[in-house]
Amino acid sequence: MGFFSLLFGGKDLSPEEEKKEQQRKQFDLLKYDGVKAMKIGQVDYAVKCFTEALKLKDDLETHDYLSQALLRKGDSQGALKELDILAQAEPDNALIQMRIAQVAYAEGDYKLMAAACQKSLQLQPDVPQTYYLYAQAYKGQQNLIGCIAMLTKAVQLKADYADAYLLRGQTLLGMGETDAADVDALWLLDKVGAHEDVLMLKARIEAIRGNTERALKAYDIVIEVNPFAIDAYRERGQLKYNAGDKAGAETDMQKVLELDPQALADVSGEYSAEGIEQRVKQAYSAVNPLGL
């Protein structure tokens, strides 16, 4: 026994205990180095740190950090694997299921997303954000009735849930329920105001109704709010073209091409003065009037 051990009443560590202590210190160092790296945007290094730390110790918090780092890196599948570990360890944690749903949405895996939302609601049934995620999963599966039902439940739980009103209005419009969509659009205009997505919804509603002037005014405001709104230029140009304003339609389509040079490549080829009217006509024939 060493002098300091005798002096303070301690005892020397066995080789096995010394090894475990070194592993504990190394784990802590790797874990917190990873946290620091993630905070300053060094995601690749953070992933390496967390991965190496987990080789030393299976730690749920580190799995959580690794899932976040992988997601920032763009590795959704890797993040889902880590979240699955967390879900198995904490089956009663509704928040983990919500995170799985969010990552599944990024992956376009709407079946997994719906399953995660269902599990989350079984654990915590009154969270409006979960109903919103469930609606997105339903919409991704083309179950529009289910989507509307989930969004309606979301706004029942959270009366000022603007995102839910917007998605419901957009979905209703896609279903051809113009008047119902307008109810949500008017609520949004009153509560949210001149937001780009809200104005686009209202413009599309008025365009479908045949109220060209109202639609044009809404598109004008969208472009004032966001001069880079490609869809607004494209859809406004279509309205102008249908109304006989060929010059206005050409100007808007030129703006679309300026913002996205590839936007018309599949329908019009190289954009030039020659044959401009025919190419504009071809371009607008491909535009979905619902913007969907």
Side-chain angles (χ1 to χ4, degrees):
M1 187 176 290
F3 173 75
F4 286 104
S5 297
L6 287 170
L7 183 63
F8 294 107
K11 64 178 182 180
D12 290 331
L13 296 176
S14 68
E16 184 63 26
E17 290 172 329
E18 181 67 28
K19 181 180 178 181
K20 289 181 179 179
E21 179 64 15
Q22 288 300 320
Q23 285 182 340
R24 184 190 66 78
K25 290 179 179 179
Q26 188 177 4
F27 169 82
D28 288 342
L29 181 63
L30 286 166
K31 178 178 178 179
Y32 293 109
D33 272 359
V35 172
K36 291 176 184 177
M38 194 160 58
K39 285 182 178 179
I40 62 175
Q42 295 181 351
V43 180
D44 287 340
Y45 182 66
V47 169
K48 289 180 181 178
C49 286
F50 296 138
T51 302
E52 291 302 316
L54 287 168
K55 291 178 181 177
L56 299 171
K57 179 182 176 181
D58 190 24
D59 175 69
L60 291 180
E61 187 177 39
T62 306
H63 281 293
D64 188 12
Y65 284 138
L66 179 55
S67 74
Q68 296 176 46
L70 288 167
L71 195 56
R72 293 187 191 183
K73 189 179 177 181
D75 183 359
S76 299
Q77 286 298 321
L80 284 171
K81 289 179 181 179
E82 297 303 315
L83 289 170
D84 185 56
I85 292 171
L86 294 174
Q88 291 184 41
E90 298 184 11
D92 296 329
N93 191 324
L95 182 59
I96 293 173
Q97 295 299 330
M98 282 189 68
R99 288 182 57 195
I100 291 173
Q102 290 167 337
V103 178
Y105 178 67
E107 277 287 285
D109 189 342
Y110 300 114
K111 184 176 180 180
L112 174 61
M113 186 183 183
C117 288
Q118 186 176 39
K119 289 178 184 177
S120 184
L121 288 173
Q122 288 171 350
L123 296 167
Q124 200 169 347
D126 295 325
V127 180
Q129 291 82 0
T130 310
Y131 285 99
Y132 180 80
L133 287 170
Y134 211 161
Q136 290 179 307
Y138 272 138
K139 189 169 186 180
Q141 294 175 309
Q142 301 303 310
N143 182 348
L144 301 185
I145 299 298
C147 175
I148 296 298
M150 292 298 110
L151 292 169
T152 300
K153 182 64 175 179
V155 298
Q156 287 173 348
L157 291 169
K158 189 176 188 297
D160 61 347
Y161 201 164
D163 285 340
Y165 281 104
L166 178 61
L167 182 58
R168 188 172 69 175
Q170 292 168 335
T171 305
L172 286 166
L173 182 61
M175 296 168 66
E177 299 291 339
T178 310
D179 291 343
D182 198 37
V183 172
D184 284 342
L186 291 172
W187 184 94
L188 288 161
L189 286 169
D190 180 55
K191 303 297 183 183
V192 179
H195 184 280
E196 179 182 344
D197 292 334
V198 175
L199 290 165
M200 285 293 289
L201 174 60
K202 184 60 175 172
R204 288 164 175 168
I205 289 169
E206 296 303 339
I208 292 299
R209 284 174 165 172
N211 297 327
T212 301
E213 289 303 316
R214 290 182 182 179
L216 287 172
K217 287 179 181 178
Y219 283 123
D220 290 344
I221 300 172
V222 171
I223 290 167
E224 288 177 14
V225 172
N226 177 13
F228 304 99
I230 294 177
D231 286 341
Y233 285 109
R234 182 185 291 112
E235 293 170 30
R236 186 179 70 173
Q238 182 187 29
L239 284 181
K240 290 178 179 179
Y241 186 85
N242 292 342
D245 181 3
K246 303 293 197 307
E250 179 187 332
T251 299
D252 277 347
M253 194 53 77
Q254 287 278 18
K255 191 64 179 180
V256 170
L257 186 60
E258 177 186 321
L259 294 171
D260 182 5
Q262 298 302 313
L264 305 182
D266 57 337
V267 292
S268 61
E270 184 181 356
Y271 205 91
S272 64
E274 182 181 357
I276 188 69
E277 182 175 342
Q278 181 61 28
R279 278 191 282 273
V280 169
K281 182 178 180 180
Q282 288 178 320
Y284 285 130
S285 69
V287 176
N288 186 318
L290 298 180
L292 303 176

